[in-house]
């Protein structure tokens, strides 16, 4: 029987990451960043990657990483979700890293593990595991084409680009043109990547690498969504205890208690689903099913929790100064990242041989 409870090591890791984010990623700082031309917090990324070694959690020790598992990465993502931290952790330390692990690319892995190189898989953020993805044209040994919806491409030093010969190519950022797109989630900006005769080095086959990377991304995204939902619930409960109406705390009204109880149940269930997905990715058992279950459940819960946070904070929840909108936007953007809940429900039906009516 798998133990989905957090180990002592995982709780210690959570405490360390939360302390760092409390000191360096206050809501006001995040708001200030998203209003600027540089939404990514590269100083915070350096602290997480270089200072704590978190960029290399999935990379074996022999290649300069920590040799940890997806369970530890899930704990980190919970905390990053709770802080809506504008860092390329999911895209570089999970997605690009998993793609490189599939290709057995030791030198690039060690660079990503150190955090000094930020990687991005040049596949649209909306792409579900197993779905078709756009490949660029390979002509006379160079790459041509345009890829849209690439998360964190603006800060990537290295892009992993699928080509029409079936290969995955490593392309340096200075060989491509990156144009920011209008992103709903300001803390995880999207961009269009244009390749006009860009040189690239083939590092492996695109299909298995992209599939592995997106499956890990979908499974671990649930932990980020858990962090977002948990923040929304915790902050809303805290606010409703303080806010008074008719000389009593608003949280004392039964109608609101029911809504909060429902949110708590949904969040607890999401924790179980997210933990199961992380554990399945770590052990390699029932991975496809666990990931599909987690993603089918996570998106509606995170969106519901953040919508309730905005509404139950009353007037202040509607303001730009309050961080609730950042969480709502992250939850909404995450709900279509790496496949919608509906796509994952369909995948799950196929995996367990449950025919749709």
């Amino acid at each position: 029987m798998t133990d989905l409870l957090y180990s002592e090591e995982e709780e210690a890791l959570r405490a360390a990451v939360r302390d760092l984010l409390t000191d360096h990623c206050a809501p006001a700082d995040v708001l200030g960043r998203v209003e600027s031309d540089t939404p990514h917090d590269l100083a915070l990324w350096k602290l997480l990657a270089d200072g704590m070694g978190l960029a290399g959690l999935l990379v074996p020790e022999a290649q300069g990483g920590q040799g940890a598992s997806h369970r530890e990465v899930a704990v980190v993502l919970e905390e990053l979700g709770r802080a809506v931290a504008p860092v390329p952790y999911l895209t570089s330390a999970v997605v690009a890293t998993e793609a490189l692990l599939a290709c057995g690319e030791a030198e690039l892995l060690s660079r990503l593990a150190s955090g000094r190189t930020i990687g991005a898989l040049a596949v649209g953020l909306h792409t579900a595991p197993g779905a078709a993805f756009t490949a660029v044209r390979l002509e006379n040994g160079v790459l041509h084409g345009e890829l849209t919806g690439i998360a964190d491409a603006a800060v990537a030093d290295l892009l992993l680009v699928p080509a029409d010969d079936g290969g995955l190519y490593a392309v340096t950022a200075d060989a491509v043109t990156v144009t920011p797109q209008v992103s709903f989630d300001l803390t995880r900006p999207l961009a269009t990547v244009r390749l006009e005769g860009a040189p690239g080095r083939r590092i492996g086959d695109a299909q298995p690498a992209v599939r592995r990377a997106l499956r890990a991304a979908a499974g671990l995204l649930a932990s980020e969504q858990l962090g977002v939902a948990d923040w929304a619930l915790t902050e809303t409960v805290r606010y409703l205890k303080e806010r008074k109406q008719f000389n009593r705390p608003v949280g004392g009204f039964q109608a609101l208690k029911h809504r909060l109880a429902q949110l708590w149940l949904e969040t607890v269930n999401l924790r179980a689903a997210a933990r199961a997905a992380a554990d399945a990715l770590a052990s390699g058992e029932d991975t496809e099913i666990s990931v599909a279950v987690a993603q089918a459940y996570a998106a509606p819960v995170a969106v519901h929790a953040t919508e309730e946070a905005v509404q139950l904070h009353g007037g202040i929840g509607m303001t730009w100064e309050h961080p609730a909108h950042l969480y709502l936007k992250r939850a909404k953007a995450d709900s279509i990242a790496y496949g919608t809940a509906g796509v994952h429900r369909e995948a799950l039906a196929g995996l367990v041989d449950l025919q749709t009516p």
Side-chain angles (χ1 to χ4, degrees):
M1 179 66 187
T2 303
D3 185 2
L4 297 183
L5 297 175
Y6 299 99
S7 67
E8 280 184 32
E9 291 81 3
E10 287 162 357
E11 288 292 9
L13 175 62
R14 176 196 305 286
V17 175
R18 189 176 294 191
D19 285 350
L20 180 74
L21 292 171
T22 302
D23 292 343
H24 297 278
C25 193
D29 298 337
V30 178
L31 266 172
R33 287 210 158 272
V34 300
E35 289 172 337
S36 73
D37 295 333
T38 52
H40 290 97
D41 191 343
L42 293 181
L44 176 61
W45 169 253
K46 190 169 166 41
L47 289 169
L48 290 163
D50 211 10
M52 295 183 73
L54 299 182
L57 285 180
L58 292 176
V59 180
E61 288 182 41
Q63 283 146 16
Q66 306 298 321
S69 79
H70 299 80
R71 288 177 61 120
E72 287 80 11
V73 173
V75 169
V76 174
L77 280 167
E78 277 182 45
E79 293 307 313
L80 293 176
R82 192 178 272 109
V84 284
V87 291
Y89 190 82
L90 183 66
T91 43
S92 184
V94 177
V95 185
T97 297
E98 285 278 356
L100 291 176
L101 285 166
C103 297
E105 184 54 54
E107 188 261 332
L108 292 178
L109 272 171
S110 63
R111 280 168 52 190
L112 256 63
S114 71
R116 286 188 285 277
T117 295
I118 295 171
L121 180 66
V123 172
L125 182 65
H126 60 280
T127 313
F133 51 86
T134 307
V136 298
R137 223 167 56 252
L138 178 69
E139 249 176 50
N140 304 323
V142 290
L143 302 164
H144 299 265
E146 186 173 277
L147 300 159
T148 58
I150 311 302
D152 297 332
V155 287
D157 308 297
L158 175 76
L159 291 157
L160 306 176
V161 182
D164 59 5
D165 69 335
L168 189 66
Y169 286 79
V171 180
T172 56
D174 54 16
V176 303
T177 308
V178 177
T179 312
Q181 290 177 248
V182 177
S183 307
F184 187 65
D185 176 9
L186 301 169
T187 61
R188 183 174 283 143
L190 306 179
T192 298
V193 175
R194 186 177 288 109
L195 300 95
E196 295 168 345
R201 176 167 70 85
R202 184 178 171 130
I203 55 173
D205 295 335
Q207 197 69 41
V210 170
R211 189 177 175 81
R212 173 175 171 167
L214 295 184
R215 189 180 64 187
L220 291 170
L221 181 68
S223 290
E224 180 185 289
Q225 289 163 305
L226 168 61
V228 169
D230 202 50
W231 177 90
L233 174 62
T234 305
E235 281 301 302
T236 305
V237 168
R238 187 179 64 77
Y239 178 76
L240 293 181
K241 282 179 177 175
E242 293 173 358
R243 177 91 169 84
K244 285 191 167 61
Q245 210 170 29
F246 307 117
N247 217 22
R248 58 182 281 201
V250 175
F253 294 104
Q254 196 165 14
L256 298 192
K257 282 182 178 178
H258 281 296
R259 284 167 72 170
L260 292 172
Q262 179 62 34
L263 266 192
W264 182 82
L265 272 176
E266 289 177 12
T267 305
V268 168
N269 290 341
L270 172 52
R271 188 179 305 281
R275 290 299 291 162
D279 189 73
L281 284 163
S283 67
E285 293 174 21
D286 293 331
T287 311
E288 304 271 356
I289 291 174
S290 298
V291 167
V293 167
Q295 263 316 307
Y297 190 74
V301 171
V303 171
H304 181 218
T306 49
E307 285 175 345
E308 289 284 73
V310 169
Q311 198 169 55
L312 295 178
H313 272 80
I316 194 171
M318 306 290 176
T319 64
W320 181 263
E321 289 74 25
H322 195 277
H325 67 93
L326 292 175
Y327 290 86
L328 176 58
K329 288 170 189 166
R330 172 65 69 91
K332 290 291 276 186
D334 280 358
S335 73
I336 55 171
Y338 308 118
T340 61
V343 165
H344 286 282
R345 276 196 293 273
E346 278 181 38
L348 182 61
L351 288 166
V352 298
D353 199 25
L354 184 68
Q355 299 305 312
T356 50

